[in-house]
Structures are given as C-alpha cells and as structure tokens.
Amino acid sequence: MTNDAQGTPPAQDRPGYELPLLLFAGFRSIIDQLHAELARQGHPEGRPAHGFAMQAIGRDGATASELGRRLGVSKQAAGKTADRLEVLGYAVRADDPADARRKVIRLTPRGLDVLAKSAAVFDELRAQWAAALGPERLRDLEDDLRVMVPPSGFRLDVAGWFGP
Amino acid sequence: MTNDAQGTPPAQDRPGYELPLLLFAGFRSIIDQLHAELARQGHPEGRPAHGFAMQAIGRDGATASELGRRLGVSKQAAGKTADRLEVLGYAVRADDPADARRKVIRLTPRGLDVLAKSAAVFDELRAQWAAALGPERLRDLEDDLRVMVPPSGFRLDVAGWFGP
DNA sequence: ACTTTTTCGACAACCACGTTGTCTATCCTA
DNA sequence: TAGGATAGACAACGTGGTTGTCGAAAAAGT
C-alpha cells in the first residue's frame, strides 16, 4: 500500500480546485463566443441572462411566475427580466383573455430570431469542440457531466450566488 | 462519405446548447457542495466570490489594484470585495511602510483557514468525481477542457456578464 | 533637483440583478 | 358564497459590478 490510508486524501495527482475553474472557463468561453457571434449577427444587446430567459419562455410564452419557477428565481426577478426583454424588443406582454390575472410574456419575431441564431451558434461551437477533441471524447465529456450534475434543473440565480 | 458535406452542420447527434449548460451545472454543483461543506465547517458566511478573491489574495497579500487585475475586475470592485472580506473577518488591511499609497490586504488566520479547508474540500470533491467516473476519464475531461479554454486567466466579472 | 506622469486608494453616482415583504385583483374550491 | 391560493405590481434593500473624479505619493524625464 502506497498511499491509500484513510488520513489525508491519497495521491491527488491534480489539485481539486482546478476542476471547477476549468468547468467555468469552458462555460464562459462558449457563452462569450456565442454573444460575440450574436452581436455580429445583429443582436449586440443580448446578455446571457436574457438568452436563458428567452429559452425558458420558449415559443409558447410564459407568465412571470412560470418563468421564475423555470429559472429558479423569484417571480419578481423574472418579472424584471421580462421588463428588460420588453425594453430590448425581444418580448411583449399580453393579457390572457381566459385569466385576468395572467399576463403572458411572448417572444417577438426578433426574440425568436435570437433563439434560432443561438441554437445555430451553439451547434457550430459544439462542432468546433468535436473537431478539436474528437466526437467520441466530447460525447464522453458530456456523458460524464450528465452523470455528475444533479438532475434538478439549472438555477440561474447568479446575482447573490445564493444566500441572503 | 455519409455526412461531411460543407453545408449545414452534419448529423448533430446532440444539440449544442446542452454543452454550456452541463459545464455550468457541473461548476455550480461543485461550488454549491463546497459552500455547503464550508458552512458545516464553521464558515457559513462565505460566498463564491469571496473564495475566489481570497485565492487571488493568497498568502502574500495583495493591494486592491493587484487584486482587481488578478480577478479581471476594476480596482474599485476589488476594493469593495476587500471591504467585505474585512467585515467578515477574513482579511485585514495594513499600510505598506515602503509605499505610503499602498494598503496591503492580508488574510487573517480565519481567512487562511477557509483557504485550507476549501482546498481540502475541492480535493475531496474531485475524488468523488474520480470515483464515479474513473480517474482516467476525469483526467481526460480536465485535459479536454484545458485544450478548449483560452489560456487567459479566469475572469470573475459575473455581475453584468460583460457589456455595460 | 525639479517638473511631469503614473499609480494608488477613496468617494460618489449609477446600473443590473437578485432578494423579501406588502398589496390588490382574480380565480378556484369547500 | 366565503375563504384560500395565485398573479402581478410596487417598494425597499443587498451585493457586486461599472464609470468618473480627486488628492497624495512614487517614478520617470528633462
């Protein structure tokens, strides 16, 4: 036995702190490239948070409360994001004739365009990764990540990083 | 040739948008577990941003300007973070006798304790990944990420997500 | 040695994005 | 029909960024 005692962790060939940094840098790199490309394609205003919100709104629209639940934030925060999307021309709010309380947030054609372009850019970026890494290694990477991440949805409350 | 034409991207077996989500979820999962464990070990106040800042301060200390450069944020933002670390008891500021302008931010024993505990938890978490995935696959994952992320340092300006 | 330029820290104003709490209107149900 | 749950608006606040300005101190150029 070389170093499998139960005291200090055995033979960490690599420091553990690098893993989250690499994951974040990878995420950050993709997002930055996406938005650089979107800016080039006529959408210079979008921010990552808007992209996630629009994805969550989807083609069918959503109310602020629903959006908040999907994004893992409060309905007030979701409402503010919707305000911003409205100002930027990516979404509109409409009354729901069936329920006078609800105001459905729907994407405008411009918003749907961002969504479509984003999907295309994401695919293109993934293809670049596949070309650099090899398709099967990228699949492995994705599979491994899928194993390790909790199945719960993706929370986007990056403001206070949790905690009050 | 099955699908290597240069038109539309060939046979995207997987949608590209999942990759960044998985990367972020992996990062988020590790960070959340780290802070849950740190809270359990007597540091319930720490936020991810503080951890990164303390890492950047290091054992030798740093000035606000240096800290800002290391973190990729303005010196004012770094100064605010230092204020917060000071309030939380993780850092202190001291005059530099050699340069009356500089005020060196140094970690307190409590701050160094967070750093040490964080390193241990990161190692432990990485060991969990290695156990679940297999050590060589985890190494592959890290290597692949290292290939894809730009060599430039890790920017932590998560507030406005870039842009004004 | 003396001016000019750079750097540092502080202060202020502002913005983005989250939080809680409260309030009213509306819908659903017992 | 009364009561509870839900939607959205509004306010106050916290945190973490950003710019811009300023004075003091160090460095650099004559």
Side-chain angles (χ1 to χ4, degrees):
Chain A
M1 55 153 115
T2 53
N3 47 21
D4 60 287
Q6 41 97 304
T8 24
Q12 287 287 146
D13 43 357
R14 310 207 182 175
Y17 68 86
E18 281 200 356
L19 180 54
L21 256 20
L22 285 168
L23 291 169
F24 181 73
F27 166 76
R28 183 64 194 257
S29 156
I30 290 178
I31 295 297
D32 285 358
Q33 287 178 266
L34 165 71
H35 283 273
E37 187 56 36
L38 284 182
R40 223 170 283 130
Q41 296 188 15
H43 296 290
E45 310 287 25
R47 308 281 198 78
H50 305 152
F52 289 115
M54 289 194 280
Q55 195 74 40
I57 293 171
R59 301 202 163 284
D60 299 335
T63 68
S65 297
E66 285 165 6
L67 184 55
R69 281 192 290 265
R70 290 179 198 173
L71 256 30
V73 300
S74 67
K75 61 179 181 175
Q76 290 88 338
K80 283 194 192 182
T81 301
D83 290 346
R84 186 131 278 275
L85 289 177
E86 227 170 345
V87 169
L88 294 175
Y90 291 135
V92 287
R93 259 183 256 241
D95 289 343
D96 183 341
D99 188 336
R101 297 170 305 175
R102 288 163 50 93
K103 294 209 175 157
V104 183
I105 304 157
R106 274 179 209 291
L107 296 180
T108 61
R110 183 169 164 78
L112 292 169
D113 183 58
V114 173
L115 234 43
K117 285 191 164 70
S118 294
V121 175
F122 276 136
D123 285 343
E124 168 65 25
L125 255 17
R126 186 183 184 281
Q128 288 178 19
W129 281 51
L133 264 28
E136 59 294 318
R137 266 181 87 120
L138 180 55
R139 290 170 74 111
D140 285 353
L141 189 151
E142 290 173 331
D143 288 344
D144 289 347
L145 252 18
R146 243 182 289 267
V147 169
M148 296 312 298
V149 308
S152 53
F154 305 103
R155 323 203 95 227
L156 259 305
D157 51 341
V158 205
W161 281 100
F162 74 73
Chain B
M1 53 152 128
T2 53
N3 48 20
D4 60 286
Q6 42 95 302
T8 22
Q12 286 286 148
D13 42 357
R14 310 206 182 179
Y17 68 87
E18 281 200 356
L19 180 54
L21 255 20
L22 285 168
L23 292 169
F24 182 72
F27 166 75
R28 182 65 193 256
S29 156
I30 290 179
I31 294 297
D32 284 358
Q33 287 179 266
L34 165 71
H35 284 274
E37 187 55 37
L38 285 181
R40 224 169 283 131
Q41 296 187 15
H43 296 289
E45 310 286 25
R47 308 281 199 78
H50 304 153
F52 289 115
M54 289 194 278
Q55 195 74 40
I57 293 171
R59 302 203 162 282
D60 299 334
T63 67
S65 296
E66 284 165 6
L67 184 57
R69 281 191 290 267
R70 290 178 198 174
L71 256 30
V73 301
S74 67
K75 60 178 181 176
Q76 289 89 337
K80 281 194 192 182
T81 301
D83 291 345
R84 186 127 276 277
L85 289 178
E86 226 168 346
V87 169
L88 294 175
Y90 291 135
V92 286
R93 258 182 257 240
D95 289 343
D96 183 342
D99 187 336
R101 295 169 306 175
R102 288 163 49 94
K103 294 210 175 155
V104 183
I105 304 158
R106 275 180 208 291
L107 296 180
T108 61
R110 183 169 165 77
L112 293 169
D113 184 58
V114 174
L115 235 43
K117 284 191 163 68
S118 294
V121 175
F122 276 136
D123 285 344
E124 168 65 24
L125 255 17
R126 187 183 183 280
Q128 287 178 19
W129 282 51
L133 264 29
E136 57 295 319
R137 267 182 87 119
L138 180 55
R139 291 172 74 111
D140 285 353
L141 189 152
E142 290 174 331
D143 288 345
D144 288 347
L145 251 17
R146 242 183 289 269
V147 168
M148 295 313 297
V149 308
S152 52
F154 305 105
R155 323 204 93 227
L156 259 304
D157 51 340
V158 206
W161 282 102
F162 75 72

